[in-house]
Amino acid sequence: MMLSDEQAFQESMQIHSDYLLRIAYLYVKDWQVAEDIVQDTFLTYYVKFEQFEERASLKTYLVRIVINKCKDYLKSWAYRKQQLTNRFFQTKIDPQKALQQAERLDIAEAILQLPIPLREVIIHYYYDELSVLEVAALLGISDNTVKTRMRRARQLLKESLAEDEWEVLSNE
């Protein structure tokens, strides 16, 4: 990289890092891991700078790298080991705190519980405000697949949120 390329790289880091961090967190549900993934994304971009063909925007290119790295992490042994450890050593939660937390995060939690293919279309459509065609291009799937996943995700969210409301009403 030449000096101007390094400046462009640093500028792209400043512009896109917060957005990429939020995307990574929505996949892995852990801020530290999300930060590592974003850092690794920029390292990959720095090393493969010349391979960027500018067929899409830089933001789209970086988001694609983040998504792939998140999926790789979720398939990794490190993630599975962490999940097993959390299950075995989970401490008891105060019911009052759990209820308060559930009230604040009900929709976000429901979205994070969706399977990744459904979660990613919901996030990109509603959170990133991308059109169906843009989501399809970003994920490399057809627009009909995006629509099907959206319909399924909405149905699961509706069922999940309806159950949560019922549980709250039954506890009163």
Side-chain angles (χ1 to χ4, degrees):
M1 285 190 167
M2 299 184 323
L3 185 59
S4 63
D5 290 342
E6 288 184 26
Q7 289 172 342
F9 175 75
Q10 288 177 356
E11 185 178 311
S12 66
M13 280 182 61
Q14 290 174 346
I15 293 171
H16 301 296
S17 55
D18 287 339
Y19 177 75
L20 296 175
L21 182 61
R22 287 192 303 264
I23 294 294
Y25 177 75
L26 291 171
Y27 275 87
V28 298
K29 304 176 195 173
D30 184 331
W31 282 111
Q32 291 176 335
V33 173
E35 288 172 346
D36 290 343
I37 288 172
V38 170
Q39 192 172 34
D40 194 32
T41 297
F42 281 114
L43 181 63
T44 301
Y45 173 61
Y46 185 81
V47 170
K48 298 180 178 183
F49 180 74
E50 293 81 24
Q51 293 180 2
F52 178 55
E53 298 175 359
E54 298 185 24
R55 285 187 279 170
S57 71
L58 177 60
K59 182 178 179 180
T60 304
Y61 179 71
L62 293 173
V63 167
R64 190 73 243 156
I65 294 173
V66 165
I67 290 171
N68 288 337
K69 290 194 178 292
C70 288
K71 288 180 178 181
D72 289 345
Y73 171 75
L74 293 173
K75 293 177 195 173
S76 73
W77 169 245
Y79 174 73
R80 291 178 187 182
K81 185 172 103 177
Q82 176 188 356
Q83 295 302 310
L84 287 173
T85 303
N86 289 347
R87 280 191 192 152
F88 287 123
F89 297 109
Q90 194 172 36
T91 59
K92 294 195 176 204
I93 299 172
D94 178 25
Q96 186 66 19
K97 288 183 181 178
L99 183 59
Q100 290 171 351
Q101 195 175 37
E103 289 173 354
R104 281 185 255 128
L105 302 173
D106 58 347
I107 294 174
E109 190 63 33
I111 291 171
L112 291 175
Q113 296 303 318
L114 291 173
I116 289 177
L118 303 180
R119 185 185 331 157
E120 63 189 1
V121 296
I122 290 291
I123 290 167
H124 292 304
Y125 185 78
Y126 289 106
Y127 179 73
D128 297 336
E129 298 179 354
L130 298 178
S131 70
V132 170
L133 293 175
E134 291 170 326
V135 173
L138 179 66
L139 299 176
I141 56 179
S142 73
D143 58 331
N144 285 330
T145 302
V146 171
K147 291 174 186 175
T148 301
R149 289 180 183 178
M150 292 272 294
R151 186 171 42 255
R152 181 68 181 134
R154 286 184 193 125
Q155 181 62 36
L156 289 173
L157 286 171
K158 184 177 179 182
E159 292 169 6
S160 173
L161 293 172
E163 288 174 12
D164 289 345
E165 290 173 9
W166 179 255
E167 288 175 13
V168 170
L169 292 174
S170 67
N171 290 333
E172 292 182 342

